[in-house]
């Protein structure tokens, strides 16, 4: 948001809005862990023989693993990828004309920053998505 709207950013995310956003994140985190404290059959553990984290093989464990861990994480990854795609599209649109006919050093530097941002966003989002999918999908089929 800072890169897309540098002049509007301070009004978009003032102290109050930032505090509400942080509070929402904390509430979502608490909702995800509260079932682990209330029910005995609702837990997760590290299985040394398989070298992976597992949720309890109970209805509560499956519910917690899927609805409170997997789906929210996939939602976060989709939001990250969407925001990255939006930012990259807007940055490319703003810099395309300047980059194609630019000869000055500052403009070439700005164009290289856009390309670096694209590479950085891909290098952060894709491995996170692969880690989530390997934990929740691929690990279910691993026997050793």
């Amino acid at each position: 948001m800072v890169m897309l709207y540098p002049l509007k950013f301070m009004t978009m995310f003032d102290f109050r809005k930032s505090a509400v956003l942080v509070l929402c994140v904390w509430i979502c985190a608490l909702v995800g862990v509260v079932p682990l404290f209330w029910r005995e059959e609702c837990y997760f553990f590290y299985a040394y023989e398989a070298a992976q984290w597992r949720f309890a093989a109970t209805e509560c464990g499956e519910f917690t693993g899927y609805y409170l861990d997997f789906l929210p994480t996939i939602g976060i990854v989709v939001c990250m990828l969407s925001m990255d795609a939006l930012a990259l599209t807007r940055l490319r649109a703003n810099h395309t004309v300047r980059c194609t006919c630019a000869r000055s050093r500052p403009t070439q530097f700005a164009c290289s920053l856009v390309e670096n941002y694209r590479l950085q966003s891909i290098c952060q989002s894709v491995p996170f998505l692969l880690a989530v999918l390997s934990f929740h999908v691929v690990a279910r089929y691993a026997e050793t």
Side-chain angles (χ1 to χ4, degrees):
M1 296 305 285
V2 170
M3 290 175 25
L4 294 178
Y5 307 106
L7 300 177
K8 295 180 184 178
F9 177 76
M10 291 304 288
T11 57
M12 292 168 72
F13 292 100
D14 60 358
F15 180 78
R16 185 170 183 266
K17 290 176 187 171
S18 298
V20 168
L21 186 62
V22 169
L23 182 64
C24 288
V25 169
W26 274 89
I27 289 171
C28 289
L30 285 174
V31 166
V33 298
V34 164
L36 300 174
F37 294 109
W38 281 348
R39 305 200 49 185
E40 247 181 64
E41 68 273 357
C42 200
Y43 59 90
F44 66 96
F45 61 96
Y46 185 74
Y48 290 101
E49 68 280 355
Q52 61 181 248
W53 289 94
R54 292 187 180 162
F55 288 91
T58 62
E59 186 178 329
C60 183
E62 293 294 324
F63 178 86
T64 303
Y66 186 73
Y67 289 105
L68 299 179
D69 189 44
F70 178 65
L71 289 182
T73 306
I74 291 297
I76 289 168
V77 170
V78 167
C79 286
M80 282 174 36
L81 291 172
S82 300
M83 288 190 292
D84 285 345
L86 175 67
L88 287 171
T89 304
R90 299 291 277 315
L91 287 171
R92 289 279 266 185
N94 291 343
H95 286 54
T96 300
V97 174
R98 285 186 242 158
C99 291
T100 54
C101 47
R103 301 264 193 264
S104 69
R105 204 176 267 278
T107 308
Q108 288 175 346
F109 179 72
C111 295
S112 69
L113 285 179
V114 171
E115 293 302 316
N116 289 342
Y117 177 74
R118 187 180 83 205
L119 182 62
Q120 177 186 354
S121 67
I122 291 170
C123 288
Q124 289 175 334
S125 300
V126 172
F128 185 59
L129 176 64
L130 293 175
V132 170
L133 291 176
S134 68
F135 176 75
H136 285 283
V137 178
V138 177
R140 289 182 178 262
Y141 300 107
E143 294 182 14
T144 62

